[in-house]
Amino acid sequence: MCKLRAKYVGKVNDEALQSLRHPSWGYGALNAIKLRSSSSKLFSMKKIRLATRKSALALWQTEHVAARLRIAHPELEVLLVPMSTRGDRILDKPLADIGGKGLFLKELEVAMLEGEADAAVHSLKDVPMELDGPFQLAAILERADPFDAFVSVKISDFDALPQGAKVGTSSLRRQAQLRARRADLQILDLRGNVNTRLSKLENGEYDAIILACAGLDRLGLSRYIRHRLDAPSWLPAVAQGAIAIECREGDTEAAKILQVLNHKKTQLCVEAERAMNRMLHGSCHVPVAAYATLEGNILSLEGLVGSAKTGHCVRAQAVGHSHDPEGLGRLVATELRLLGADELMRS
């Protein structure tokens, strides 16, 4: 059972055009990019190299960023630099046991430091709350579907799971919310890329698995979504569904080139979520969830901290002005602590 506390406080080719119309990352970006694309002539930089992981999802996201940059800056050559990370290679242990989601960034950041890449494309939910080293987030793209997907071969939705069903996820946040709703479930670790996880499901290793809707949408696998697990009953990972572009701190030209892709509304929402997580010292070692929305100038944030072992959760929510997402995040984190979040995180 969860406790709740609330408080007020250029030229476009056909393939690229179709990418820009893809529903998984929002609408209206094409016009926004066209309005700002004339700035490309102001830069001396003729080529930008984007470091990326080699997984199908990471490559989709980086190709997507590249297509949008080519439209925004027609004279700019955009190249991909695919590489494998330690987080991709170690698949037999939970992320929390081998160093966390930051393992997906290190090799890409080293490539930037050694001059092999100018920027790196990440799922923002994998980016630590504090960047380790001389780096900055130059742009955050419009958020796609932020929620989780219930995926099963035979079972229509979460509520139809039989007693003692096997559900696959390695996320402590998902484990905590699963146990909060159904203490009888067998929750089993699940690692690997999206297709690997789906293959394990289809081979009968699990009755159901939990994946991110955005990843399935981007890979053209939406047909696997049986049921969306959405707010307020289920909260996503901090910044889930958003793509971020990282570059070296002080590389002002690269940052300006990338800034054209920044989506202000998404930026404000994920800043509130990340501020909450930062104050809680959250990571993949701690079951933390958050979801922010923006209507006009009013920013709303709901956060959750839970126990992956017991399913006990605490929730807090607040609203504030969009000019202070950091303050809103800190407020919700404080409320969560008053409700016992620190004890849950220690457990």
Side-chain angles (χ1 to χ4, degrees):
M1 182 174 291
C2 298
K3 298 179 183 177
L4 176 65
R5 180 178 293 201
K7 188 177 277 191
Y8 182 85
V9 253
K11 287 187 180 178
V12 182
N13 62 42
D14 290 340
E15 183 178 352
L17 183 59
Q18 290 304 315
S19 171
L20 287 170
R21 287 174 177 159
H22 197 285
S24 68
W25 57 272
Y27 299 96
L30 179 57
N31 288 336
I33 290 174
K34 281 183 175 179
L35 289 172
R36 290 177 282 181
S37 65
S38 60
S39 62
S40 62
K41 296 180 181 179
L42 302 177
F43 303 118
S44 60
M45 198 172 187
K46 302 301 181 187
K47 176 173 68 177
I48 191 164
R49 298 160 298 169
L50 304 176
T52 176
R53 294 162 58 196
K54 291 181 178 179
S55 73
L57 180 56
L59 288 169
W60 187 99
Q61 293 178 163
T62 309
E63 290 284 8
H64 171 68
V65 168
R68 294 186 63 184
L69 284 173
R70 292 178 186 121
I71 292 168
H73 307 294
E75 299 171 1
L76 182 70
E77 184 181 7
V78 184
L79 303 175
L80 271 62
V81 184
M83 55 187 62
S84 178
T85 69
R86 185 164 180 249
D88 295 311
R89 293 190 294 271
I90 302 176
L91 299 176
D92 58 348
K93 297 179 182 178
L95 277 176
D97 293 348
I98 59 173
K101 292 183 177 180
L103 291 175
F104 292 127
L105 278 71
K106 295 302 178 187
E107 284 84 349
L108 279 61
E109 290 179 335
V110 169
M112 287 189 282
L113 288 176
E114 294 183 347
E116 296 174 5
D118 304 297
V121 178
H122 309 294
S123 294
L124 185 52
K125 70 183 180 69
D126 294 339
V127 177
M129 299 306 109
E130 301 288 352
L131 294 178
D132 184 16
F135 301 104
Q136 61 180 327
L137 295 182
I140 298 169
L141 279 67
E142 184 174 2
R143 193 177 209 170
D145 189 331
F147 298 115
D148 284 334
F150 174 84
V151 181
S152 178
V153 174
K154 299 178 180 178
I155 301 166
S156 60
D157 58 50
F158 181 85
D159 293 332
L161 281 169
Q163 189 82 6
K166 296 186 227 179
V167 181
T169 178
S170 57
S171 160
L172 297 181
R173 169 190 62 85
R174 289 169 178 157
Q175 290 177 18
Q177 293 184 90
L178 284 168
R179 286 202 165 96
R181 292 175 68 163
R182 290 279 303 273
D184 64 286
L185 297 176
Q186 297 182 61
I187 301 175
L188 307 174
D189 263 337
L190 176 64
R191 291 287 314 279
N193 61 41
V194 173
N195 285 315
T196 297
R197 297 182 191 196
L198 290 172
S199 294
K200 290 181 178 182
L201 172 69
E202 291 173 336
N203 289 337
E205 296 181 39
Y206 308 91
D207 296 304
I209 62 176
I210 311 298
L211 300 174
C213 289
L216 292 168
D217 287 340
R218 286 166 175 159
L219 292 174
L221 299 172
S222 303
R223 64 187 181 278
Y224 285 96
I225 301 175
R226 289 281 196 145
H227 176 212
R228 290 172 74 254
L229 299 167
D230 55 12
S233 61
W234 183 282
L235 295 185
V238 169
Q240 184 162 304
I243 297 171
I245 314 175
E246 181 185 23
C247 70
R248 292 182 297 271
E249 201 169 50
D251 190 344
T252 55
E253 187 159 21
K256 287 179 181 177
I257 285 171
L258 299 167
Q259 179 64 29
V260 70
L261 303 187
N262 192 62
H263 188 257
K264 188 65 176 179
K265 182 175 180 178
T266 297
Q267 178 191 340
L268 292 170
C269 289
V270 299
E271 281 181 355
E273 295 171 16
R274 285 170 63 83
M276 183 204 84
N277 204 22
R278 190 179 301 113
M279 187 170 177
L280 291 169
H281 305 292
S283 67
C284 71
H285 300 273
V286 180
V288 174
Y291 181 53
T293 57
L294 180 63
E295 296 294 337
N297 292 322
I298 302 301
L299 191 59
S300 303
L301 174 64
E302 183 169 5
L304 174 149
V305 175
S307 166
K309 293 181 180 179
T310 68
H312 177 62
C313 304
V314 294
R315 291 174 178 255
Q317 62 183 21
V319 296
H321 197 280
S322 60
H323 73 264
D324 189 17
E326 289 274 339
L328 179 61
R330 290 194 298 270
L331 174 62
V332 173
T334 299
E335 292 294 312
L336 287 167
R337 284 183 155 170
L338 290 173
L339 291 168
D342 287 337
E343 183 178 348
L344 286 173
M345 290 188 290
R346 283 194 297 269
S347 69

